[in-house]
Amino acid sequence: MRGTKACGSFNCDKDGTFELLVHMEADPLVASYGGFNFETVLPCGEAAALDEVAAFSLNHQAGLFVVCSVSPNIERSAGFRSAWQHADFKLAQRGTWLFSTTAEKLRREPKWTRARELARCAGVYVDRRDEERVVDYLTQVHHAPMRTCASLCINGADSLDALYKLISAGVVFLGSEDDVLPSGSVTLHPPELAFDRLAIGWLQEPSGALVSRTAGFLPRLAP
C-alpha cells in the first residue's frame, strides 16, 4: 500500500498499526494523518507507559483525533491507566479526541475487505477526463451503481480501481455505509456523520456505539 494522505513511511511492528493505516487511507473523510508521540502531551517518563500503543494523529471531517490500537497483550498497569487518562485530558484541552480500538475490531468484515480494496487503490492515477465523466454523470443521476460509474473510466488500466481511487480521495462517496464492493452504489454527496460530529464509521462497534474514549476504556482495564 502506498499512502496518499501522509508523508513518509510507518513502522508496522505495533499491533494494529497496519489496520489503522488501511482504514485511514480508505476513508474519504480523512484529510491527513501522521504518527503520534505521547511525549508531545506527557512527560517522557509517563509517556513511556504507552510506548507499545500504535497511535496516529488524524485530521478527519468529524474533527481532530488521536486514534490508537491497543494490543490485548499490553499490561494494563496502574501507570498505563494513569498515563492514558492524563493524555486524554491533555488532548481534550487541545480540542482533540482520544479513541482506542484493537486490531481485531479493525479487521471486522465487511468493512475490512472494503477498506483494503480502497486503500490499495489510493495511489492509482485517474485521468482527469475520466473523473469529469463520473462527476458529470452523478450530477445528473445523483446515485448510480459502482460498475456503471466504473465503465466511464476508460483511460486507465483498470476501471474499477480508478473508481475506488475516486472514492478513497473523497471525489465520490459510497451510497451506503453497508455497501459491499463492487456491488454497491456511489454518489457525490458525503454521508451524514452518524450520531454526532465525533463519529468515525470504522471506529464503531457493530451495535453502532463509538469505540470508547477514556470513560469507557479505563473501567475495562485490569488493575
Side-chain angles (χ1 to χ4, degrees):
M1 185 186 72
R2 183 172 59 188
T4 62
K5 301 173 183 176
C7 296
S9 58
F10 298 95
N11 188 321
C12 291
D13 288 346
K14 295 179 182 178
D15 191 55
T17 299
F18 176 70
E19 288 81 358
L20 284 172
L21 289 170
V22 166
H23 279 288
M24 290 187 292
E25 278 295 329
D27 188 344
L29 301 182
V30 169
S32 61
Y33 63 86
F36 179 77
N37 188 334
F38 282 100
E39 290 182 7
T40 60
V41 293
L42 299 176
C44 295
E46 188 175 11
L50 304 176
D51 277 350
E52 297 305 311
V53 174
F56 290 88
S57 57
L58 177 65
N59 182 2
H60 192 277
Q61 184 172 310
L64 300 176
F65 301 84
V66 171
V67 292
C68 305
S69 175
V70 182
S71 169
N73 297 322
I74 293 178
E75 181 184 358
R76 270 66 163 178
S77 63
F80 181 96
R81 297 197 303 271
S82 175
W84 183 273
Q85 189 172 28
H86 191 193
D88 187 27
F89 176 75
K90 298 295 287 186
L91 287 166
Q93 288 182 315
R94 302 181 180 186
T96 300
W97 291 81
L98 178 63
F99 279 110
S100 67
T101 186
T102 65
E104 181 183 9
K105 290 178 180 178
L106 291 169
R107 289 194 296 266
R108 282 177 173 155
E109 297 293 358
K111 291 182 179 180
W112 176 234
T113 295
R114 184 177 67 195
R116 282 187 298 164
E117 279 296 283
L118 295 178
R120 177 183 63 82
C121 298
V124 168
Y125 170 76
V126 179
D127 189 279
R128 188 174 65 178
R129 294 166 295 177
D130 289 346
E131 178 178 334
E132 290 174 349
R133 267 190 295 273
V134 172
V135 171
D136 288 346
Y137 179 68
L138 287 173
T139 300
Q140 298 175 37
V141 301
H142 305 299
H143 281 77
M146 288 185 194
R147 292 189 183 278
T148 299
C149 290
S151 68
L152 301 174
C153 300
I154 60 177
N155 293 304
D158 189 294
S159 59
L160 269 176
D161 283 2
L163 182 65
Y164 293 168
K165 161 65 177 184
L166 296 180
I167 295 172
S168 68
V171 177
V172 300
F173 300 89
L174 293 172
S176 166
E177 177 67 21
D178 299 320
D179 276 354
V180 177
L181 305 180
S183 60
S185 63
V186 289
T187 176
L188 291 178
H189 305 292
E192 293 185 8
L193 296 179
F195 305 107
D196 59 39
R197 65 184 298 274
L198 300 175
I200 300 178
W202 45 271
L203 279 180
Q204 290 178 6
E205 301 283 5
S207 65
L210 284 171
V211 170
S212 305
R213 294 183 63 230
T214 295
F217 181 73
L218 288 176
R220 294 201 297 272
L221 299 179

